[in-house]
Amino acid sequence: MNSEDFLGSKQKYRMTNQRQVILEEIRKVNTHPTADEVYKMVRKRLPRISLGTVYRNLEILSTRGLIQKIGPVSSQMRVDGITKNHYHLRCIYCGSVKDAPIDPTENLENAIRERSDYNIIGHKLEFIGICPNCGKKENLSHKKAEDIGN
Amino acid sequence: MNSEDFLGSKQKYRMTNQRQVILEEIRKVNTHPTADEVYKMVRKRLPRISLGTVYRNLEILSTRGLIQKIGPVSSQMRVDGITKNHYHLRCIYCGSVKDAPIDPTENLENAIRERSDYNIIGHKLEFIGICPNCGKKENLSHKKAEDIGN
DNA sequence: CTAGGTGCAAATCATTTGCCGGGGC
DNA sequence: GCCCCGGCAAATGATTTGCACCTAG
């Protein structure tokens, strides 16, 4: 689960003021802000910060495991002709998506229903990993962090 | 799980030729094509189709439950200050994300490891539902399909 | 005739990048 | 000096939308 391990990132980052403030603001709230919301929050303390800086730092902070990105694992929508619920397997290197060889279970939804007041209508489970094909390449040469989705 | 049930969509759609071809092409492959890939596939049979039409029809087809969208449930990335793995609860109406009151399990990953040759490094589980607040509104007036993410 | 459909181009939205000056080590 | 950094604006990429025409019922 720790990105650092497989990213082979050799860079050393400083904890700059902007970076620190961004991190503090994210930790301060118990919501899951969008990049733009983070920008707005941070700007109250650092009025001259730019949105680009926020994005750059969110990227770095999540690479370092200090925060976590939710949502778009890769930026493109994909479609699936099979409508019955099933799980997916996504490769962090090539971004490909395959069906996971495991059947969905109602148990998960039931567990949530007991504990929350949401009207649950479904769930999405996605496994993140490295596909055999990319796994080979990975052993030969370490890819740069930028090549990797999420 | 069937979108039609809660979307309250009153529109009547025709199964036009373009729509039909798009659906056929998606069903023909066992991959999970992006919108652009669908466009390319369909264009072999309907050279004059536009990307806009593809998007419009993917939207309609998934609203009708004939295909399924994977990935970006809503299009914006969100961040999370809590780095230990946990699950999320997303409201289809307002798009808000909360932490799910259920602890992650290694079982899921282990199940996959036994059955696939992927190097699994994590998993994401997201419950889709209607938050109590939006649930109230929903009862008062049925929202239009466009208001609903995914 | 009315509503849904389409192609096309322009617009929008989130995110990324290039440039360039500045500061830490 | 080298490299990371941040502000800014411009670029990019995916998706959406406005417009004008078309066609089925």
Side-chain angles (χ1 to χ4, degrees):
Chain A
M1 259 332 235
N2 185 340
S3 356
E4 255 179 78
D5 294 346
F6 63 87
L7 285 179
S9 116
K10 301 281 183 290
Q11 277 198 296
K12 28 181 193 294
Y13 298 113
R14 256 176 295 153
M15 184 48 78
T16 61
N17 190 232
Q18 285 76 340
R19 197 114 79 210
Q20 182 72 47
V21 171
I22 288 171
L23 185 54
E24 282 172 14
E25 292 298 315
I26 292 173
R27 288 191 168 155
K28 191 176 292 177
V29 296
N30 55 359
T31 59
H32 301 82
T34 61
D36 203 67
E37 285 162 358
V38 173
Y39 176 53
K40 289 207 183 74
M41 295 175 342
V42 170
R43 218 162 26 151
K44 288 180 188 151
R45 293 172 57 186
L46 304 173
R48 300 195 54 75
I49 200 172
S50 79
L51 185 56
T53 300
V54 170
Y55 273 105
R56 267 188 294 240
N57 281 319
L58 291 181
E59 180 59 36
I60 290 168
L61 288 170
S62 82
T63 300
R64 291 268 122 171
L66 293 171
I67 62 170
Q68 208 187 326
K69 287 197 203 172
I70 316 171
V73 174
S74 84
S75 54
Q76 266 175 93
M77 174 194 66
R78 289 173 180 275
V79 287
D80 189 335
I82 303 164
T83 48
K84 90 182 203 352
N85 192 19
H86 58 280
Y87 301 147
H88 291 116
L89 206 44
R90 193 188 294 255
C91 174
I92 55 164
Y93 284 117
C94 62
S96 66
V97 178
K98 278 180 49 178
D99 293 338
I102 172 181
D103 285 323
T105 163
E106 283 285 307
N107 297 347
L108 293 166
E109 288 182 26
N110 292 334
I112 282 288
R113 286 202 182 92
E114 287 169 16
R115 294 180 182 73
S116 99
D117 42 7
Y118 270 53
N119 178 13
I120 302 292
I121 57 178
H123 68 283
K124 288 171 192 270
L125 176 55
E126 190 170 283
F127 293 93
I128 315 293
I130 302 168
C131 73
N133 191 34
C134 290
K136 275 182 259 158
K137 286 182 260 168
E138 197 201 18
N139 292 333
L140 300 178
S141 65
H142 258 293
K143 317 264 295 194
K144 285 176 303 175
E146 302 90 70
D147 293 341
I148 301 170
N150 194 26
Chain B
M1 260 330 235
N2 184 342
S3 353
E4 254 181 79
D5 295 346
F6 62 88
L7 285 178
S9 114
K10 302 280 182 289
Q11 276 198 296
K12 28 182 188 326
Y13 297 113
R14 254 177 296 154
M15 183 50 77
T16 62
N17 189 231
Q18 289 71 343
R19 198 114 77 209
Q20 181 72 48
V21 172
I22 289 170
L23 184 54
E24 282 172 15
E25 291 300 313
I26 291 173
R27 289 193 166 153
K28 191 178 292 178
V29 297
N30 56 357
T31 61
H32 302 81
T34 61
D36 203 65
E37 285 163 356
V38 174
Y39 175 53
K40 289 206 182 73
M41 294 174 342
V42 169
R43 221 167 19 155
K44 288 180 189 152
R45 292 173 57 188
L46 304 173
R48 300 194 54 76
I49 199 172
S50 80
L51 185 55
T53 300
V54 170
Y55 273 104
R56 270 185 294 237
N57 280 318
L58 292 181
E59 180 59 36
I60 290 168
L61 288 170
S62 82
T63 300
R64 291 269 124 168
L66 293 172
I67 62 170
Q68 206 187 329
K69 287 198 204 171
I70 315 172
V73 174
S74 81
S75 55
Q76 263 175 96
M77 174 192 65
R78 289 173 180 274
V79 287
D80 189 335
I82 303 164
T83 47
K84 90 182 205 349
N85 191 19
H86 58 280
Y87 301 147
H88 292 115
L89 208 42
R90 193 188 295 255
C91 174
I92 53 163
Y93 284 117
C94 62
S96 67
V97 178
K98 279 180 50 177
D99 293 338
I102 171 181
D103 285 324
T105 165
E106 283 286 304
N107 298 349
L108 293 167
E109 289 182 27
N110 292 335
I112 282 289
R113 285 203 183 91
E114 288 169 17
R115 293 179 184 74
S116 98
D117 43 6
Y118 271 52
N119 178 11
I120 302 293
I121 58 178
H123 68 283
K124 287 171 192 269
L125 176 55
E126 192 171 281
F127 294 93
I128 314 293
I130 302 168
C131 74
N133 191 35
C134 290
K136 275 181 258 158
K137 285 181 260 167
E138 198 202 13
N139 292 331
L140 300 176
S141 65
H142 259 292
K143 317 266 294 198
K144 285 177 304 173
E146 300 93 67
D147 294 342
I148 301 170
N150 195 24

